C-alpha cells in the first residue's frame, strides 16, 4: 500500500513541527501538506526546513481545502473553533481526521461528532500510549475502591503558554475515574477551590491545575483513603510522544468506516 498522505494544520506551531518530524520518521506515512492561518509569516516556507529537517518540498499554505483534496488524512492540534471547521472539511473530502485539540465546548464536541458520520475521526485528550494505559488503570482502581472510603484527585501541570484548564488529559483521566465509579463527571467533580469551601464532597472527583515554565505535561491521579493513598502518574518529557501517537492513529484509521474513535480504539484497549 502506498504511504498515507497526511496534512498538518497549525504546521508552524511547536506541536505542528513535532507532527511534521513524526510523519517523516514513521514508515507508511508521508507529508502531503502543511497549513497555517491566513497571513501567518510562515506561509510559503518549506515545512521541513521550519521543523529542522531540511527541505521537504512541501511549502506551508493557507488553503486547507486544497490541501485536504490531495490527502488521505489530517493531523490537527489547533484550537476548538478551528478543529470544528477542519472536521467539516475533512468530512467533505472523505479523509481521516486526527484531533488532539483540547478545550472544546459541549457544542463543539457535538459538531465534531456530527462530522464523524461522514469520515473517520480519532479524537483524544492525549495521544500517548502511556497516558491511555494510565486511564485504563485509573478506571480499574476507581471501580475497585469504594467512593465512600477513597477520594480521587487529578493533578496536572503544563507550560505557561497552555490556554485551557484543566487539560484535556486531566479530563481524560477524570472521565476514566467517573466511568469506574459509574457517575457523571460534569455533575460529580470539583474544578475550583477558593475560600471557605467546606468539607470535601464524598465521591466527587477533584481537579487541580498548575502552570509554569516549559513543562510538557505531568499528570497524577491521587486516590486517598484513611491511612493510605495511591498515586498513579505520567510525565511527558517530549512532545514527540503525542506526535507519534497521532501518526499511529492516522495509519490505524485509514480505511475504517466513518465514526468517532478514541486512542483506546487505536491501542486495542476498549
Amino acid at each position: 500500500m502506498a504511504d498515507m498522505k497526511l496534512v498538518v494544520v497549525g504546521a508552524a506551531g511547536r506541536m505542528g513541527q513535532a507532527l511534521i518530524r513524526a510523519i517523516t520518521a514513521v514508515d507508511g506515512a508521508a507529508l502531503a501538506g502543511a497549513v497555517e492561518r491566513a497571513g501567518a509569516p510562515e506561509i510559503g516556507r518549506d515545512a521541513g526546513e521550519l521543523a529542522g529537517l531540511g527541505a521537504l518540498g512541501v511549502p506551508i499554505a493557507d488553503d486547507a481545502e486544497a490541501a485536504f483534496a490531495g490527502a488521505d488524512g489530517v493531523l490537527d492540534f489547533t484550537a476548538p473553533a478551528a478543529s470544528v471547521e477542519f472536521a467539516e472539511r475533512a468530512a467533505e473530502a472523505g479523509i481521516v481526521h486526527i484531533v488532539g485539540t483540547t478545550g472544546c465546548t459541549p457544542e463543539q464536541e457535538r459538531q465534531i461528532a456530527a462530522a464523524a458520520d461522514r469520515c473517520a475521526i480519532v479524537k483524544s485528550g492525549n495521544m500517548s500510549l502511556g497516558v491511555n494505559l494510565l486511564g485504563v488503570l485509573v478506571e480499574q482502581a476507581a471501580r475497585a475502591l469504594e467512593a465512600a472510603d477513597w477520594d480521587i484527585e487529578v493533578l496536572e501541570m503544563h507550560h505557561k503558554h497552555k490556554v485551557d484548564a484543566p487539560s484535556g488529559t486531566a479530563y481524560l483521566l477524570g472521565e476514566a475515574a467517573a466511568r469506574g465509579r459509574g457517575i457523571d463527571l460534569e455533575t460529580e467533580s470539583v474544578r475550583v477551590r477558593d475560600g471557605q469551601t467546606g468539607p470535601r464532597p464524598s465521591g466527587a472527583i477533584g481537579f487541580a491545575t498548575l502552570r509554569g515554565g516549559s513543562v510538557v505535561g505531568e499528570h497524577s491521579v491521587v486516590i486517598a483513603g484513611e491511612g493510605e493513598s495511591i498515586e498513579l502518574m505520567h510525565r511527558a518529557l517530549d512532545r514527540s510522544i503525542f506526535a507519534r501517537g497521532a501518526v499511529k492513529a492516522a495509519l490505524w484509521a485509514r480505511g475504517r468506516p466513518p465514526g468517532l474513535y478514541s486512542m483506546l480504539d487505536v491501542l486495542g484497549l476498549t
Side-chain angles (χ1 to χ4, degrees):
M1 182 181 293
D3 286 350
M4 186 176 187
K5 295 178 288 185
L6 297 173
V7 174
V8 174
V9 292
R14 288 175 296 179
M15 194 62 216
Q17 293 178 45
L19 289 166
I20 292 167
R21 291 191 290 269
I23 290 170
T24 64
V26 175
D27 290 339
L31 183 68
V35 176
E36 260 299 339
R37 67 189 184 284
E42 297 85 4
I43 298 296
R45 288 191 59 184
D46 186 281
E49 290 182 345
L50 185 65
L53 298 171
L56 295 175
V58 179
I60 295 177
D62 60 5
D63 188 343
E65 184 175 358
F68 289 12
D72 300 311
V74 54
L75 307 183
D76 172 12
F77 286 68
T78 55
S83 289
V84 169
E85 179 182 347
F86 291 137
E88 179 60 30
R89 291 186 180 276
E92 291 173 355
I95 63 175
V96 169
H97 186 196
I98 307 303
V99 187
T101 303
T102 60
C104 293
T105 65
E107 176 57 26
Q108 288 166 332
E109 295 282 5
R110 284 191 290 271
Q111 290 174 301
I112 292 171
D117 289 338
R118 292 173 287 151
C119 69
I121 297 179
V122 179
K123 187 177 187 300
S124 179
N126 193 295
M127 295 284 175
S128 82
L129 171 61
V131 161
N132 284 278
L133 285 172
L134 176 59
V136 172
L137 296 174
V138 169
E139 181 176 350
Q140 291 176 340
R143 183 176 294 115
L145 301 172
E146 292 288 342
D149 300 323
W150 296 84
D151 302 317
I152 298 178
E153 294 283 320
V154 182
L155 171 65
E156 58 105 342
M157 182 168 185
H158 282 85
H159 54 85
K160 60 186 177 183
H161 301 292
K162 188 166 180 61
V163 298
D164 60 310
S167 69
T169 304
Y171 276 121
L172 181 155
L173 296 171
E175 288 170 350
R179 283 195 304 274
R181 289 196 163 167
I183 61 174
D184 176 32
L185 182 65
E186 293 305 311
T187 60
E188 301 292 336
S189 62
V190 177
R191 312 291 174 84
V192 178
R193 293 188 177 101
D194 185 42
Q196 296 295 323
T197 62
R200 187 187 195 284
S202 179
I205 296 170
F207 289 84
T209 298
L210 304 177
R211 294 287 179 266
S214 59
V215 176
V216 175
E218 296 181 359
H219 296 84
S220 297
V221 179
V222 179
I223 309 173
E226 291 294 330
E228 60 182 327
S229 66
I230 301 165
E231 184 171 359
L232 303 171
M233 181 178 183
H234 179 273
R235 179 179 289 115
L237 304 178
D238 192 303
R239 285 182 180 81
S240 65
I241 64 172
F242 313 128
R244 290 195 302 271
V247 177
K248 178 182 178 69
L251 294 171
W252 176 88
R254 188 180 193 182
R256 301 273 173 180
L260 183 60
Y261 303 97
S262 74
M263 282 301 287
L264 295 180
D265 296 306
V266 175
L267 300 171
L269 295 174
T270 50

